[in-house]
Amino acid sequence: MKIVDVKARIFAVPPRRMETEVPWVFGRLAQVFVEVTTDDGLVGIGEAYAYGVPKASAAVVNETLRPLLVGEDARRIAQLTQRMFQKTHLFGRYGVTTFAISGVEMALWDLAGKRAGQPLYQLLGGAAGTRVPAYASLVRYPEEHEQIRLDAEKAMAEGFTMLKVHQITVPSVAMAREVIGEDVPLTVDINCEWSPFEAARMAEAMHEYELFWLEEPVWPPEDYLGLAQVQASTGVPLSSGENACTAHQFKAMMDAGAVTYLQPSVTKVGGIAEWLNVARLVQLNGFELAPHSPYFGPGLAATLHLIAHTGQGRWIEKIYFDLEVELFKEPLQLAGGVYTVPDGPGLGVELNWEALAAFEVADG
Ligand SMILES: [Mg+2]
């Protein structure tokens, strides 16, 4: 069970073309997948957050974490994770370092599941159900671009029961609400654009569109008191957490009463166990969980297992576009807006390395 190799690889798979030509606002979509190999021939896979920083995430895995792990027993996930955190804290506790640790830790869990012959959710203690509703998470389009309407209509026709837009104008939010009707929950993600004052003003202006949550309205994301003030003064439920790493930052967010919905991201927060730490804190403190998962690879599969296991978080986030190639040998099943959690060992998915080969980027 000794670890013989740890390797991060970068793949830049372009999105599938859309029906209408719109400026692409999601940036270059390079993903980092991690493989941990043990001396019994098993390989676990994980995903480290990489959008915009693939070479940095991969370098931390390949140059900094690999030497800490090779030769160690892969079954000691908690101890190895603690070692990774402690040995890297000088480089910055949060951000790229934690993204890299998240990918490696996820691969260790995948290995554990493969060794046990059990899906991750079973390994963790079972699941109440293995079907997880998804919400369609639209990318940000310019102002009131027609694509918002087209995407929202398509998502509703496909059976999604909730919609998220990344629009920052009132008329564009109104467009989305008009398409989906009064009864479908609508959330708006600002990606930290506003001051607390602006956020409060905009939350008031969007009040009539009944936001289920308003996501990360305030810059900087760690201005927890600013978030708390916006939520208290407007009565609009806020969400945040995709930019938080480790349960410590989530605890601080809850202590400040910053938001209602906490959004751990399994490729960023520190991995599977840290995501679970956050989920338990959220439950103990009476908050709500709304996992962040705009992923296509192991990060998406892991989030499905975690939601199924904890029963927290009513929906999984499905970023609403597809890639040019399917990443898994057997695609995740999504029908009528509901995912079926894969029941193979570990994450229950296998990357299609042959299809991915054409998109591999040298890690420099
Ligand atoms: Mg977000």
Side-chain angles (χ1 to χ4, degrees):
M1 319 295 172
K2 274 198 168 41
I3 297 171
V4 294
D5 200 12
V6 178
K7 185 160 178 55
R9 297 163 68 181
I10 302 170
F11 298 92
V13 183
R16 197 173 293 162
R17 283 176 71 84
M18 301 205 167
E19 289 162 34
T20 57
E21 208 54 53
V22 288
W24 188 249
V25 288
F26 204 61
R28 184 164 171 263
L29 204 71
Q31 303 169 75
V32 167
F33 301 140
V34 178
E35 292 172 283
V36 176
T37 308
T38 46
D39 61 0
D40 53 0
L42 289 180
V43 182
I45 57 168
E47 177 173 358
Y49 187 79
Y51 298 157
V53 288
K55 291 191 178 183
S57 290
V60 175
V61 173
N62 293 332
E63 294 173 24
T64 310
L65 303 181
R66 184 180 186 278
L68 299 174
L69 300 170
V70 169
E72 298 293 331
D73 185 338
R75 293 171 298 187
R76 301 171 68 236
I77 300 174
Q79 290 85 351
L80 294 178
T81 306
Q82 182 64 13
R83 172 187 284 191
M84 290 191 280
F85 273 121
Q86 284 194 325
K87 296 288 185 187
T88 59
H89 78 274
L90 290 173
F91 317 132
R93 278 269 287 152
Y94 304 119
V96 173
T97 312
T98 310
F99 304 165
I101 293 171
S102 303
V104 172
E105 198 259 14
M106 191 188 299
L108 291 171
W109 278 103
D110 185 45
L111 262 178
K114 283 172 173 163
R115 184 167 291 116
Q118 289 190 353
L120 178 63
Y121 67 81
Q122 285 297 5
L123 203 63
L124 295 172
T130 53
R131 287 167 59 76
V132 177
Y135 70 81
S137 185
L138 276 50
V139 296
R140 182 177 296 172
Y141 296 114
E143 296 171 349
E144 290 82 48
H145 199 285
E146 182 59 15
Q147 191 70 35
I148 302 164
R149 193 185 306 279
L150 295 174
D151 277 6
E153 281 173 353
K154 189 160 171 268
M156 293 302 105
E158 288 172 352
F160 287 93
T161 48
M162 173 175 172
L163 185 79
K164 178 156 99 184
V165 295
H166 287 76
Q167 301 307 121
I168 55 171
T169 69
V170 176
S172 59
V173 171
M175 263 176 90
R177 174 53 85 198
E178 191 190 318
V179 172
I180 67 177
E182 288 177 8
D183 298 332
V184 175
L186 172 65
T187 67
V188 176
D189 189 347
I190 307 303
N191 292 117
C192 315
E193 293 258 345
W194 299 326
S195 69
F197 175 79
E198 286 174 294
R201 192 174 62 83
M202 292 299 288
E204 292 290 359
M206 292 178 183
H207 224 283
E208 64 180 294
Y209 305 110
E210 293 198 32
L211 305 190
F212 194 75
W213 73 62
L214 179 63
E215 183 165 332
E216 287 199 312
V218 168
W219 176 261
E222 64 271 26
D223 182 2
Y224 303 146
L225 291 177
L227 287 167
Q229 286 166 3
V230 173
Q231 182 167 263
S233 69
T234 65
V236 174
L238 302 188
S239 70
S240 184
E242 68 180 80
N243 286 300
C245 295
T246 81
H248 293 277
Q249 287 197 317
F250 280 89
K251 179 177 182 299
M253 215 181 298
M254 283 180 266
D255 287 348
V259 298
T260 301
Y261 293 90
L262 284 299
Q263 302 180 290
S265 195
V266 74
T267 69
K268 302 176 88 175
V269 74
I272 303 286
E274 200 65 8
W275 192 104
L276 287 169
N277 287 341
V278 172
R280 289 188 184 117
L281 270 181
V282 166
Q283 195 169 48
L284 282 170
N285 287 290
F287 289 76
E288 299 288 329
L289 195 75
H292 173 258
S293 61
Y295 308 124
F296 302 89
L300 182 61
T303 309
L304 279 173
H305 285 270
L306 288 165
I307 292 175
H309 165 61
T310 59
Q312 290 172 262
R314 283 163 59 185
W315 294 272
I316 186 167
E317 179 174 21
K318 158 77 175 97
I319 192 75
Y320 200 61
F321 64 90
D322 293 313
L323 298 180
E324 214 172 276
V325 294
E326 169 56 47
L327 301 186
F328 298 132
K329 285 184 181 162
E330 281 190 33
L332 289 171
Q333 288 177 45
L334 171 65
V338 179
Y339 276 104
T340 301
V341 185
D343 60 4
L347 297 175
V349 288
E350 281 184 77
L351 286 163
N352 187 351
W353 298 111
E354 291 86 62
L356 281 168
F359 303 101
E360 185 155 11
V361 176
D363 64 6

